[in-house]
Amino acid sequence: MTATLTTAPPTRWRGTDFATQVLVLTQRSLRTLVRDPRMVVFSVLQPLIMLTLFSQIFASIADTPGFPRGVSYIDYLMPAILVNTAMQAALQAGVGLVTDMKNGVLARFRSLPIQLGSVLVARSLSDLARTAAQLVLMLLFAVTIFGFTPAGGITGIAAALALALAVGWGLSWVFLAIAAWLRNAELMQTVGFLAMFPLMFASSAYVPVSGLPGWLQAVANVNPLTHAVDAARALALALPVTGVVGALVTSAALAAVGWAFAVRGFRRPL
């Protein structure tokens, strides 16, 4: 009697799980960043120039009646610079996605057994890491060169940094969604700057809202960036903290909506 050997049919390889794909793709993006640190250095120059100019030009605002007493202008300004830098980095996340679409990287990803959503998540996480490096460098400059010494100390600075990163991460999903649909770097930058500049200057970022003209006060009071800046400033200056939960909830909502639209736009044929 001969024994019959049965072999199971080969199973089709379906690729790695979502988390592993995100991890590998994030590491790939970070390796690209480490190999070319000029990307971080030059991206720090713009907010550093803004910090230098605004801290010197508007320093006298600290002597006006509506300015918080006992607070130097650099201590007032730096939390806003953190939030604004995170917002600008969020725009660059969208521009980077368009660049990857145009240089053929994403076309190669489409030929692999990976979920396209993992590409977007990896992009957002790698840009979050780059933003964190930018903000830490900015803080080092502010402390060593400009004398940034807020009342909240290291704990307050760390909390303001974390809040700025959360706001920037939520906004990055908005810009990723816009990039996935526009697929044009020049148009992406134009749309981004048109959205950013009103948010930055019609807010409490550089001067107290009470010092703005009446119509700008109305805009600033409903500007979500005002509430994010005020929350970061309260954390750094050890003031009564309000708006942190609202800023985090808003960032999470933007991330959820941006994720949905980004994935839909990203799945369209290149």
Side-chain angles (χ1 to χ4, degrees):
M1 179 181 295
T2 22
T4 309
L5 297 177
T6 58
T7 57
T11 57
R12 182 182 177 184
W13 185 67
R14 299 183 180 275
T16 56
D17 59 87
F18 186 82
T20 302
Q21 293 172 15
V22 169
L23 178 61
V24 171
L25 292 173
T26 302
Q27 290 174 342
R28 170 194 168 274
S29 297
L30 291 177
R31 281 195 300 269
T32 303
L33 178 63
V34 171
R35 289 170 185 164
D36 191 4
R38 295 173 298 176
M39 296 174 62
V40 174
V41 173
F42 283 109
S43 60
V44 168
L45 286 180
Q46 180 181 351
L48 181 59
I49 291 171
M50 291 182 63
L51 175 62
T52 304
L53 292 176
F54 280 102
S55 64
Q56 302 305 309
I57 294 173
F58 296 118
S60 59
I61 293 177
D63 301 324
T64 58
F67 198 84
R69 292 301 173 191
V71 178
S72 67
Y73 186 68
I74 186 63
D75 290 349
Y76 179 88
L77 174 66
M78 192 58 203
I81 293 292
L82 291 177
V83 175
N84 286 340
T85 303
M87 182 173 65
Q88 293 170 10
L91 170 61
Q92 293 306 313
V95 175
L97 180 63
V98 173
T99 302
D100 283 347
M101 286 181 171
K102 297 300 182 183
N103 63 16
V105 172
L106 296 184
R108 292 195 293 272
F109 285 158
R110 287 175 182 270
S111 65
L112 299 175
I114 62 175
Q115 300 180 51
L116 292 181
S118 65
V119 178
L120 292 172
V121 175
R123 161 64 64 178
S124 73
L125 292 179
S126 62
D127 286 319
L128 181 65
R130 182 175 67 175
T131 304
Q134 289 177 276
L135 297 188
V136 169
L137 287 175
M138 288 294 301
L139 285 171
L140 291 176
F141 280 121
V143 171
T144 58
I145 298 176
F146 299 102
F148 176 54
T149 53
I154 295 177
T155 302
I157 293 174
L161 172 65
L163 180 63
L165 288 174
V167 171
W169 186 73
L171 286 172
S172 71
W173 280 106
V174 175
F175 288 116
L176 286 173
I178 295 173
W181 287 93
L182 292 181
R183 301 187 178 185
N184 182 290
E186 292 79 8
L187 185 57
M188 177 69 208
Q189 288 182 322
T190 301
V191 171
F193 282 119
L194 285 176
M196 282 198 309
F197 277 99
L199 288 174
M200 289 170 55
F201 292 102
S203 70
S204 62
Y206 304 110
V207 297
V209 173
S210 60
L212 298 174
W215 67 274
L216 266 183
Q217 290 186 28
V219 175
N221 286 327
V222 298
N223 185 348
L225 191 65
T226 294
H227 302 290
V229 168
D230 288 346
R233 187 172 286 143
L235 291 169
L237 299 179
L239 299 174
V241 178
T242 58
V244 173
V245 174
L248 293 176
V249 170
T250 301
S251 299
L254 289 175
V257 174
W259 156 266
F261 281 96
V263 171
R264 288 189 61 184
F266 194 59
R267 285 175 175 168
R268 293 185 303 151
L270 293 175

